[in-house]
Amino acid sequence: MRKTKLIIKTKSKKYPIIIGPNVIGDINNILKFSKTYFEKALIIYDTKVPKKKLFILKKKINSNKTIVHSFKASEKNKNFKSINSILNKLFKFNFNRNDCIISLGGGITGDVSGFAASIYKRGIKFINIPTTLLAQVDSSIGGKTGVNNKYGKNLIGSFMQPDLVVSDINNLKSLPKREIICGYGEILKHSIINGYGTFNYLKKNFHKIIKLKSPFIEKAILDSCKIKKKIVEKDEKEKDLRKILNLGHSFAHAYEASLSYSKKLNHGEAVILGIKSATKFSFQNNIINKKDYNQIINHINNLNINTDLNNYFRKKDINILIKYMKSDKKNNSTKINLILIKSVGKILIKMKFNELKIRKFFARELIY
Ligand code: GLY
C-alpha cells in the first residue's frame, strides 16, 4: 500500500488523515506538506507502544523543544487526574496556542490528549498518531475527545477536530491479536452502517483482515475511514446522522461500566457484544429481517471471542446495566434511546424504549 491521504472537511476544520506503512518515519515531510507548524510539542505517549516508535517520532520531528509525557492508557486512567497532570506539564513548560500536543497511542490516549488540547488555554494544536486498529479506523477521526467518570463513559468531553492524523499501519504488527479483534469491531460497525457491499467483503475476508494480510487489511482500514469521513462531514456535532456511529455503543458502554472497565472486556470487545445485543434487540422487536439478523449474528459468532452475555453478567446485574444505559448521553429523562438495525445499510436512530422493555431483553439473555 502506498501512502494515502483523506481530507476531512467539517464546519469547524479541514484536516488530512495520512494512512500508510511507515508514515511515522515520514512525519517531517508530512508536517511540511500539511503546513502543520508548531514551536513546542508535548508527545503524550502510551507506554504500551514500542519505545522505538517514540524515538523515531522524536528524532523525525527534529525539534529540541519536544517534551514526552508518559501515559498508562486504560479506561480507569481516562479521567480528570490524567488531564490535570497533562495540563500541569503544559503550564510548566509554558505552552501557548502555537504549540502542539501529539498523541502517540490508541483510542484512550487520543481521547485524553485531544481533550487536554481542547481546554488548555481554550485550545492548542493537536496531532493524533493512532497506533491501534480501533483508533485508526474510528476514534482518531471526527474530533470526539473526553474522559470517563463514575457516572459512565465519555460523559465529559468536547468536540475538537485534530489538525492532522497520521495512521501508520506498520504499528499494527506489534499489536496483540485481541487488539486487532477490537478494531475489527468498529470496522464491522461501519460496514453494517454502510451496506451489503462492505459487509459482504468483511464476511468473505475477515480471516485475512484479522491476520493483517495485504491488501485486505489496507482496504478494510480505508473503507472504514471513508465511511466515517462521510458521516462526520455531514454532522460533526452528532445532532442527528452521526448518531448511527453509536450502533451497539449504548449496550457496550453499559457493559464496560458495569464491569468497572475491567480487563475482562475492553472497549472493542464491548462494541462487538453491543452490536450483537442491538441486532438481537432489533430482531426481538420485529425491526430487522431474519436473513440480515442471521448474517450479522453468524458473522459475530465466527469472530472467535466470547460474545455470550452470560460469560460476563448474571440476572442480578440487570439493575446496574439499566442504570448505565440510562446515563447514556443520548437519553432524555424518561426513555432510553437505542440505535437499531432495520437491515444492513439501514440504521434507525430515533427508537426510544422504556426501561422495562430493556429489562425484559436482559432477562431473556441472562440465564442465571
Ligand atoms: N465513535 C463514534 C463517533 O465518533 O461518533
Side-chain angles (χ1 to χ4, degrees):
M1 182 202 195
R2 288 183 321 150
K3 195 163 59 185
T4 306
K5 178 161 99 174
L6 289 180
I7 301 281
I8 309 285
K9 291 181 206 143
T10 66
K11 279 200 181 114
S12 69
K13 206 183 271 175
K14 184 174 153 189
Y15 59 96
I17 300 181
I18 312 294
I19 307 164
N22 194 28
V23 282
I24 292 184
D26 199 28
I27 188 87
N28 215 5
N29 283 325
I30 293 172
L31 290 173
K32 234 181 269 161
F33 289 119
S34 62
K35 298 193 171 71
T36 313
Y37 305 114
F38 51 83
E39 286 171 20
K40 290 193 279 274
L42 180 74
I43 300 177
I44 301 180
Y45 158 74
D46 176 352
T47 49
K48 282 196 286 294
V49 176
K51 264 233 153 68
K52 202 172 122 205
K53 302 280 169 194
L54 176 66
F55 291 141
I56 296 173
L57 179 65
K58 261 189 88 174
K59 192 168 150 223
K60 295 281 173 177
I61 286 177
N62 199 16
S63 157
N64 51 9
K65 292 182 197 150
T66 304
I67 295 136
V68 175
H69 179 87
S70 294
F71 173 57
K72 266 189 137 161
S74 70
E75 292 292 348
K76 285 197 176 125
N77 288 341
K78 191 178 176 183
N79 58 24
F80 259 121
K81 198 168 159 225
S82 301
I83 294 292
N84 250 327
S85 90
I86 294 169
L87 296 178
N88 282 334
K89 215 77 11 103
L90 295 169
F91 285 117
K92 183 172 161 200
F93 290 94
N94 197 21
F95 272 59
N96 64 46
R97 284 187 183 159
N98 286 326
D99 299 324
C100 178
I101 287 184
I102 303 177
S103 167
L104 179 67
I108 295 173
T109 311
D111 283 7
V112 167
S113 308
F115 185 46
S118 77
I119 58 174
Y120 180 78
K121 298 189 177 171
R122 298 212 171 90
I124 60 170
K125 295 181 188 179
F126 176 49
I127 297 174
N128 199 346
I129 306 185
T131 56
T132 62
L133 183 59
L134 188 144
Q136 294 188 353
V137 299
D138 185 30
S139 62
S140 64
I141 311 165
K144 276 191 181 175
T145 82
V147 292
N148 308 328
N149 69 359
K150 68 174 184 178
Y151 295 98
K153 205 172 142 70
N154 296 335
L155 293 180
I156 303 159
S158 60
F159 284 99
M160 192 198 71
Q161 302 298 335
D163 294 277
L164 171 68
V165 180
V166 179
S167 284
D168 192 328
I169 60 167
N170 281 4
N171 276 333
L172 304 180
K173 291 181 194 150
S174 61
L175 295 178
K177 180 129 188 262
R178 193 174 173 199
E179 264 300 329
I180 301 291
I181 299 277
C182 290
Y184 186 83
E186 300 287 359
I187 293 177
L188 173 65
K189 178 192 80 178
H190 288 155
S191 81
I192 296 171
I193 290 170
N194 201 49
Y196 295 109
T198 346
F199 179 64
N200 289 338
Y201 181 81
L202 292 192
K203 266 195 337 178
K204 190 162 165 233
N205 298 302
F206 81 95
H207 283 300
K208 294 176 201 136
I209 295 169
I210 56 185
K211 282 188 185 144
L212 305 178
K213 290 258 185 298
S214 246
F216 306 95
I217 180 68
E218 290 87 349
K219 178 169 165 49
I221 293 175
L222 262 181
D223 284 353
S224 223
C225 292
K226 284 180 187 164
I227 295 165
K228 182 145 186 194
K229 163 182 154 73
K230 228 168 37 188
I231 295 165
V232 298
E233 285 185 342
K234 286 192 186 133
D235 177 19
E236 179 181 5
K237 298 267 171 79
E238 201 174 297
K239 299 257 181 291
D240 197 26
L241 175 72
R242 186 168 177 170
K243 288 187 182 146
I244 59 177
L245 292 173
N246 293 324
L247 173 63
H249 281 60
S250 305
F251 287 106
H253 288 172
Y255 298 157
E256 289 179 271
S258 305
L259 291 171
S260 310
Y261 306 108
S262 102
K263 291 202 168 70
K264 197 171 173 195
L265 189 70
N266 61 27
H267 178 62
E269 291 162 340
V271 167
I272 297 173
L273 256 69
I275 296 172
K276 188 170 179 180
S277 299
T279 311
K280 283 190 159 188
F281 191 92
S282 300
F283 189 62
Q284 285 172 19
N285 288 281
N286 301 316
I287 294 167
I288 190 171
N289 63 68
K290 181 113 200 233
K291 184 168 157 265
D292 285 20
Y293 166 79
N294 281 333
Q295 293 212 24
I296 297 171
I297 297 294
N298 289 341
H299 183 56
I300 290 175
N301 289 344
N302 282 336
L303 287 181
N304 207 12
I305 67 165
N306 198 330
T307 56
D308 183 348
L309 283 188
N310 289 287
N311 194 41
Y312 307 95
F313 303 105
R314 297 282 176 262
K315 280 190 193 296
K316 67 175 172 43
D317 299 318
I318 292 177
N319 280 341
I320 184 155
L321 288 167
I322 294 288
K323 180 188 120 187
Y324 283 117
M325 291 200 68
K326 280 168 118 178
S327 67
D328 191 90
K329 294 186 287 305
K330 295 186 300 305
N331 297 324
N332 60 30
S333 52
T334 51
K335 298 226 168 175
I336 297 176
N337 173 220
L338 293 178
I339 312 299
L340 297 177
I341 309 172
K342 190 164 166 54
S343 59
V344 171
K346 205 156 183 39
I347 307 300
L348 307 179
I349 58 173
K350 295 204 168 125
M351 307 294 285
K352 292 196 168 65
F353 298 88
N354 60 36
E355 87 172 58
L356 200 64
K357 194 106 198 168
I358 297 165
R359 274 184 187 279
K360 275 193 187 148
F361 170 78
F362 286 131
R364 206 167 147 172
E365 291 292 304
L366 298 171
I367 300 167
Y368 305 107

